[in-house]
Amino acid sequence: MKKILWTGAVALLLITSGCGADKFVKKGDQHLAIGEYFEAAAQYRKAYMHTPIKERDKRGERAFKAAECYRKINYTARAIGSYMNAVRYHYPDSTTYLYLAQMQQKNGDYKKATENYKLYLEKDPDNVLARNGLEGCVMAPRWKEIPTDYSVKKEPVLNGRRTDYSPVLYGDEWDQLYITTTRPQTKGDELSGITGIKNSDLFLAEKDEKGKWLQPKEFESEVNSNYDEGACCFSPDGKTMYFTRCTSDPEYPRYAQIFTASRSDATWSSPQPLEITKDTLSSYAHPAVSPDGNWLYFVSDMPGGLGGLDLWRIRITSDGLGGAENLGEPINSPGDEMFPTFRPNGELYFSSNGHPGMGGLDLFCAKQDSTGKWNVENLKYPMNSAGDDFGMTFEGLHNRGFFSTNRNDARGWDHIMSFEKPDVILSVKGWVYEKDGYELPDGIVYMVGNDGTNLKLSVRSDGSFVQEIKPHVKYIFLGTCNGFLNHKEELQVDTSRVSKEYVLQFALASITAPVLVENVFYEFDKADLTPESTESLDRLVKLLEENPNVTIELSSHCDYRGNDQYNMGLSQRRAESVVNYLIAHGIAKDRLSPVGYGESKPKVIKKKLTEKYPFLHENDTLTESFILKLPEDQQEICNALNRRTEFKVLRTTYGLFDEMGNLLKEALTGKETENQPTEE
């Protein structure tokens, strides 16, 4: 009787266990259908534990499903255990060996990974992922024995107690760092069904007055929400942010989407979705803008790729986005290519688990040759590890910055590390600003070199730009801004053993306001120019040569002392002296109009001048009555400011039309007027 009762109890237990297991599988399938891998893995694990050992097929299938979910959320150790259970119960899908090998490789167990790659290749000998994985297992130990020149370092101040990844340097001095984080301070209270931790937000770290990084914090913006945000980038001018957002829906899969936000003062505007294609069943993530601002690179699983996630790009135009194009081989592979980013020199960096590597996502550098073909290189150790390495950001032109990795983290959580590689960099830093005024953030600098270089450089908010240059190349830089005359600079440098930065100044003359010609001196009470005036007048000659379609009025002014009629005559003769100098140095006479104003047009103070003379205020007019109210030493300063030589632009169409008003052939071909400002 006891034996009968015991047998019945065991049978009942097996029946109820089997029913419970099926219930867990059903729940797991529901979570998996909407991409909630963490929740799905928990249900499949329960199903596996409640499945009787005799039901070997079901245990194998449920172990495999759990393993797949663990693999997708970087629970590497659990994925390995579940795949091994699937193998133990002879799960028939041969990809079990491929994925098991990948996880073992990601765990740094290259010997076991090699065995399982070989087992899989017996069934599918032409599989690219398996072949590349096997090659990586062979190369990784060698790379560790002979590390590259990169140095990497943990950055505790930038990391929290959860996952932190995809750092992006920002700001004119690269003193701001945006990171993606899941630390407890992020918005929302719910845990993600995908990862089991909170949804990610963008946080901002800044440097203190000593140049040390402070801990990342939330920043004032509508960019962050209760959804997942992260993996951001910025346009070259810093005015537009692109970032990834993953919304959630309890009934449908989540598709990542790229959003944009615009910089307004010190905050970012309300984000707007960016429609890359009409396809609403594909993901679009990890944006990166090319250094010239003409292309948006991104990651997608949309049709037309080579497998998994691929790198794509789409042209950015003034009329919107163009058509998306796949980067193809050799960048994309049958695996996943993700997290693209650029160095200013045009090198494309990305991460891949499809090319031969050390395990997980490896960092790669892609360079284009003269024919436009991409050449791809693994960054090797120590930039890469057995874990996931991805999300690089560079400090300007330098080969240093930050990246993210989950190496040595048993939970698979990502953390920020810094990197640096010794590099000799020759660069030019230019400043575009108004003569007698401030920076011109809307300025454009055209850079042309005799090696074929032809770039259009936008300046930053402080009017500056930084660009790498090559030795022994002759460069011409043309500084332009709407409403201002052009200014040209030339530069050619030799080879250097150390990094060096050359500085160029682009002081642009206004088309709409009088421009002071500094350091023009005359003999006392005469119109004769002194030798000290030569340098300044030669710069004016150069300016007129660079802007051949401009005519100017050249004016001379006196202070209030002396007879009005005498001052008028003296100033006229002085203006004529300057014009005669310009004519003698090759400037056409009909481009120049000398005018003497005497004391009739006292100087109006611009804001910039108040920095040098604090007793003056913007828009003060230095009339006789104004000056006489000042102390004697300040009176002399104001009188000196009134004694000046200026020019103002009269026309910007000189030489463009014939006597009948027809546009000349030279103007049509652009030979004389390329990059010249048009008449306002």
Side-chain angles (χ1 to χ4, degrees):
M1 178 64 70
K2 284 184 178 180
K3 186 175 181 181
I4 294 172
L5 289 173
W6 173 253
T7 305
V10 171
L12 179 62
L13 179 62
L14 290 175
I15 292 171
T16 56
S17 296
C19 292
D22 291 340
K23 179 181 68 176
F24 293 132
V25 170
K26 184 177 180 180
K27 287 184 178 180
D29 290 343
Q30 290 172 345
H31 287 296
L32 181 62
I34 57 175
E36 292 183 342
Y37 303 115
F38 179 82
E39 296 291 351
Q43 297 300 321
Y44 291 138
R45 180 176 173 82
K46 290 179 182 178
Y48 175 83
M49 298 298 292
H50 284 76
T51 301
I53 296 177
K54 290 183 178 181
E55 298 181 20
R56 301 180 64 82
D57 290 347
K58 288 185 177 180
R59 282 180 75 88
E61 179 186 8
R62 289 161 187 178
F64 180 81
K65 285 187 172 183
E68 285 289 86
C69 293
Y70 288 134
R71 178 172 66 90
K72 292 179 183 294
I73 58 175
N74 280 330
Y75 279 36
T76 306
R78 287 192 177 184
I80 291 173
S82 294
Y83 281 127
M84 290 180 69
N85 284 334
V87 170
R88 179 191 309 168
Y89 289 105
H90 304 291
Y91 183 65
D93 190 339
S94 61
T95 58
T96 305
Y97 292 99
L98 173 63
Y99 295 142
L100 175 57
Q102 289 177 337
M103 293 297 97
Q104 290 169 330
Q105 183 180 10
K106 192 171 183 178
N107 209 38
D109 193 343
Y110 297 118
K111 182 178 180 180
K112 290 182 179 178
T114 298
E115 293 173 359
N116 284 305
Y117 276 129
K118 289 180 177 179
L119 285 173
Y120 179 76
L121 285 169
E122 290 177 3
K123 304 176 184 299
D124 186 4
D126 296 324
N127 187 278
V128 175
L129 290 178
R131 287 187 171 277
N132 287 347
L134 185 59
E135 182 180 344
C137 287
V138 174
M139 298 304 300
R142 300 178 187 174
W143 290 343
K144 292 188 72 173
E145 290 177 3
I146 310 174
T148 64
D149 292 337
Y150 282 99
S151 60
V152 302
K153 185 175 67 172
K154 293 181 179 179
E155 295 292 340
V157 72
L158 298 176
N159 292 295
R161 296 181 179 180
R162 294 295 185 271
T163 188
D164 299 284
Y165 64 97
S166 286
V168 180
L169 283 162
Y170 179 78
D172 293 338
E173 300 301 325
W174 313 110
D175 53 359
Q176 300 176 50
L177 185 71
Y178 286 83
I179 68 167
T180 305
T181 182
T182 60
R183 57 190 65 194
Q185 295 81 8
T186 59
K187 290 190 174 182
D189 298 321
E190 296 184 4
L191 299 182
S192 169
I194 302 174
T195 62
I197 54 180
K198 291 190 69 174
N199 286 334
S200 59
D201 278 348
L202 287 167
F203 272 42
L204 175 62
E206 298 181 283
K207 287 184 177 180
D208 62 17
E209 62 278 1
K210 296 181 180 179
K212 301 293 185 181
W213 287 105
L214 301 173
Q215 289 187 353
K217 295 181 179 180
E218 302 168 79
F219 58 97
E220 291 296 326
S221 171
E222 297 180 46
V223 168
N224 290 321
S225 70
N226 291 334
Y227 299 126
D228 264 314
E229 286 87 21
C232 70
C233 75
F234 301 94
S235 58
D237 61 9
K239 296 178 181 178
T240 303
M241 174 194 287
Y242 298 82
F243 67 95
T244 308
R245 174 177 286 176
C246 299
T247 58
S248 61
D249 191 304
E251 298 180 359
Y252 297 97
R254 294 90 183 274
Y255 298 105
Q257 191 173 4
I258 294 174
F259 281 69
T260 64
S262 301
R263 187 78 169 178
S264 177
D265 296 325
T267 60
W268 294 100
S269 66
S270 178
Q272 300 297 320
L274 184 68
E275 185 181 88
I276 293 178
T277 73
K278 299 293 184 180
D279 179 2
T280 59
L281 298 179
S282 298
S283 290
Y284 306 90
H286 306 170
V289 181
S290 61
D292 59 12
N294 292 333
W295 293 93
L296 176 67
Y297 287 67
F298 61 95
V299 174
S300 180
D301 58 356
M302 63 178 162
L306 300 187
L309 297 170
D310 273 13
L311 296 188
W312 298 70
R313 72 174 187 173
I314 193 168
R315 185 176 287 278
I316 302 171
T317 72
S318 57
D319 298 324
L321 298 178
E325 58 185 60
N326 190 283
L327 295 193
E329 295 179 329
I331 289 178
N332 288 319
S333 74
D336 294 329
E337 279 68 49
M338 309 162 72
F339 299 99
T341 191
F342 282 93
R343 269 185 84 181
N345 62 6
E347 294 175 353
L348 171 64
Y349 290 78
F350 65 96
S351 290
S352 172
N353 60 16
H355 295 285
M358 298 187 70
L361 291 171
D362 266 26
L363 288 161
F364 291 83
C365 175
K367 302 178 184 179
Q368 281 184 300
D369 60 22
S370 57
T371 66
K373 180 183 177 182
W374 290 101
N375 297 299
V376 177
E377 180 182 2
N378 189 299
L379 295 192
K380 303 177 184 176
Y381 183 82
M383 287 300 292
N384 287 318
S385 66
D388 289 328
D389 303 286
F390 61 100
M392 295 181 74
T393 185
F394 293 89
E395 185 184 325
L397 299 176
H398 302 286
N399 201 348
R400 62 175 182 250
F402 300 93
F403 72 106
S404 39
T405 180
N406 65 6
R407 64 183 70 180
N408 302 323
D409 191 291
R411 299 158 299 185
W413 290 354
D414 307 307
H415 303 287
I416 308 296
M417 297 186 77
S418 62
F419 72 89
E420 184 169 8
K421 182 179 180 181
D423 210 355
V424 175
I425 297 175
L426 299 176
S427 63
V428 57
K429 184 168 188 177
W431 302 87
V432 182
Y433 57 94
E434 180 182 3
K435 273 181 176 287
D436 310 320
Y438 293 95
E439 62 273 359
L440 295 172
D442 293 327
I444 298 291
V445 177
Y446 295 88
M447 175 181 173
V448 179
N450 61 2
D451 65 338
T453 299
N454 191 345
L455 301 176
K456 179 182 178 182
L457 308 175
S458 298
V459 303
R460 300 184 294 198
S461 59
D462 63 350
S464 70
F465 70 90
V466 178
Q467 181 63 38
E468 189 171 359
I469 56 176
K470 300 175 184 177
H472 311 299
V473 176
K474 183 177 181 180
Y475 294 101
I476 295 177
F477 298 84
L478 188 68
T480 70
C481 188
N482 192 27
F484 294 85
L485 298 182
N486 297 343
H487 177 69
K488 184 172 70 175
E489 291 285 346
E490 297 183 8
L491 181 66
Q492 182 172 339
V493 301
D494 296 325
T495 304
S496 176
R497 294 183 179 179
V498 296
S499 296
K500 190 171 183 180
E501 183 176 78
Y502 298 84
V503 177
L504 298 178
Q505 304 283 348
F506 297 85
L508 305 189
S510 173
I511 289 176
T512 58
V515 179
L516 177 68
V517 185
E518 294 183 292
N519 300 321
V520 176
F521 305 106
Y522 307 92
E523 298 289 351
F524 178 71
D525 207 24
K526 295 180 181 180
D528 299 330
L529 292 164
T530 66
E532 292 81 5
S533 304
T534 301
E535 183 177 348
S536 180
L537 292 178
D538 287 345
R539 286 198 295 269
L540 182 55
V541 170
K542 181 183 176 185
L543 177 66
L544 292 170
E545 289 174 343
E546 292 169 354
N547 297 271
N549 306 119
V550 167
T551 65
I552 65 169
E553 174 191 280
L554 195 292
S555 61
S556 180
H557 303 261
C558 300
D559 59 34
Y560 66 82
R561 293 175 294 193
N563 180 277
D564 289 356
Q565 185 176 358
Y566 176 80
N567 282 343
M568 191 69 74
L570 178 62
S571 63
Q572 179 65 36
R573 293 194 300 276
R574 286 180 169 178
E576 291 171 354
S577 292
V578 174
V579 165
N580 289 336
Y581 184 95
L582 300 177
I583 294 172
H585 286 76
I587 306 302
K589 181 178 180 180
D590 57 349
R591 295 180 62 194
L592 308 168
S593 300
V595 179
Y597 285 103
E599 60 182 273
S600 64
K601 288 195 173 185
K603 186 174 182 66
V604 178
I605 300 301
K606 290 185 176 181
K607 184 178 180 180
K608 184 69 174 178
L609 202 57
T610 64
E611 297 176 6
K612 185 176 182 180
Y613 303 111
F615 69 91
L616 295 174
H617 302 87
E618 187 177 7
N619 296 323
D620 281 348
T621 303
L622 304 185
T623 61
E624 181 178 357
S625 60
F626 177 90
I627 294 174
L628 291 176
K629 295 176 184 178
L630 300 174
E632 187 173 337
D633 59 332
Q634 294 179 2
Q635 288 186 28
E636 184 50 43
I637 291 173
C638 292
N639 283 327
L641 292 174
N642 271 333
R643 298 190 298 269
R644 66 197 190 278
T645 300
E646 295 178 334
F647 74 86
K648 68 177 181 181
V649 175
L650 300 177
R651 287 193 304 133
T652 60
T653 56
Y654 175 82
L656 298 184
F657 302 92
D658 62 20
E659 295 178 355
M660 302 299 293
N662 298 314
L663 192 63
L664 295 174
K665 181 178 180 181
E666 289 81 1
L668 290 171
T669 60
K671 292 180 179 178
E672 298 292 333
T673 61
E674 185 175 4
N675 297 329
Q676 298 297 326
T678 57
E679 189 168 12
E680 295 293 313

